[in-house]
Amino acid sequence: MSRWTIIIPCHNEAESIGRVLESVKSVVPEARILVVDDGSTDDTAKIVSGFDEVRLIRMESNSGKGVALQRAIRETDTPYLIFMDGDGQDHAEDLRDLITQAENGARFVNGSKFIGKIEQGGISLPNYYGNRFMSGLINWLFGSRITDSQSGFRAMETKLAASMPLYSTQYEIETEMLCKALKMGVEVREIPVVRKARTGGRTGFKRIRNGLRILATIFRERIAK
């Protein structure tokens, strides 16, 4: 029985999801793969269905990344989880380091592109500075030393993720999980990862709207009991 489930949420990622799955299966063939298709209107689900031993959950409508991840957490029974995006920006080779750190006792492993490598086109300048600001704010409020608070490429103990009452419906889910772990006194171990440019498709991240949601999540988690 595999000890790992790799959770890949995606929305309209037909141009990249096939390559993502091929790379993941080649690097960690023993891991389970769970793709949550968040109401895609392209051929994302059709492409995923063509991969043997890849489980697909189809959401009827586009409900948001947070909803997709919460659904996936409820559907897993392996001891450990890895979250990665379906847009091809995460480097599958980094999965080995995430797994190694978790198997050496880390309950929460955060993949940081800021201590790793950002390839050309891997992040826009507004998103770069926005992430750095939010990470600094979290460090100030929670007494941590996080460099990449919005990383979607991370590993966690399943029981830790399942113990968190999660409310986020969109991209702020990563921030909520991070802040909750910090409040619980969990060591968040960061490792360097590679962030690549998109291989196709378009991001659904809206800088102002989603940025405000992330900011609100940080303060909500800081004052919540």
Side-chain angles (χ1 to χ4, degrees):
M1 177 180 175
S2 175
R3 291 169 55 80
W4 291 90
T5 296
I6 299 174
I7 295 173
I8 306 176
C10 55
H11 174 67
N12 289 341
E13 298 292 1
E15 295 181 60
S16 60
I17 191 62
R19 288 187 292 271
V20 170
L21 294 176
E22 288 172 355
S23 62
V24 170
K25 285 172 68 69
S26 68
V27 174
V28 282
E30 72 280 7
R32 296 181 184 179
I33 303 175
L34 173 58
V35 175
V36 185
D37 179 17
D38 187 22
S40 294
T41 56
D42 63 3
D43 288 335
T44 296
K46 181 180 179 180
I47 293 170
V48 175
S49 297
F51 282 82
D52 294 335
E53 300 179 0
V54 173
R55 185 182 174 194
L56 171 65
I57 295 176
R58 297 192 68 178
M59 310 284 280
E60 292 185 3
S61 60
N62 181 218
S63 302
K65 188 176 185 180
V67 175
L69 290 188
Q70 290 184 57
R71 171 73 182 276
I73 292 169
R74 293 195 300 269
E75 296 279 343
T76 55
D77 59 3
T78 54
Y80 298 98
L81 306 175
I82 291 180
F83 303 96
M84 69 182 297
D85 292 332
D87 56 13
Q89 291 195 264
D90 297 320
H91 188 44
E93 292 293 331
D94 292 325
L95 288 166
R96 292 193 179 98
D97 288 338
L98 287 170
I99 290 173
T100 297
Q101 291 294 324
E103 291 185 339
N104 286 335
R107 302 182 66 196
F108 192 126
V109 189
N110 201 52
S112 172
K113 52 189 167 287
F114 297 119
I115 60 174
K117 178 182 179 182
I118 302 175
E119 296 184 354
Q120 185 174 4
I123 189 172
S124 67
L125 279 178
N127 288 356
Y128 176 94
Y129 288 111
N131 191 328
R132 301 297 270 178
F133 170 77
M134 298 294 187
S135 298
L137 180 62
I138 288 173
N139 290 336
W140 178 57
L141 291 175
F142 291 86
S144 57
R145 294 183 178 181
I146 302 302
T147 64
D148 193 350
S149 59
Q150 273 80 68
S151 174
F153 196 23
R154 52 178 54 158
M156 293 180 64
E157 277 187 348
T158 301
K159 63 181 180 180
L160 173 61
S163 72
M164 296 177 175
L166 299 172
Y167 307 103
S168 298
T169 60
Q170 298 184 33
Y171 292 93
E172 71 274 10
I173 186 72
E174 279 97 6
T175 301
E176 181 183 13
M177 295 174 79
L178 174 65
C179 291
K180 279 186 163 64
L182 292 171
K183 285 184 70 174
M184 294 166 66
V186 174
E187 176 195 3
V188 177
R189 192 176 301 176
E190 284 198 317
I191 64 167
V193 297
V194 175
R195 183 69 168 175
K196 302 185 291 183
R198 264 184 167 270
T199 56
R202 299 173 59 184
T203 180
F205 188 87
K206 307 298 182 184
R207 293 190 185 110
I208 296 178
R209 184 180 69 186
N210 292 120
L212 290 174
R213 292 178 71 95
I214 291 169
L215 188 63
T217 297
I218 294 171
F219 285 110
R220 184 193 71 206
E221 292 301 318
R222 179 61 279 177
I223 63 176
K225 294 183 179 180

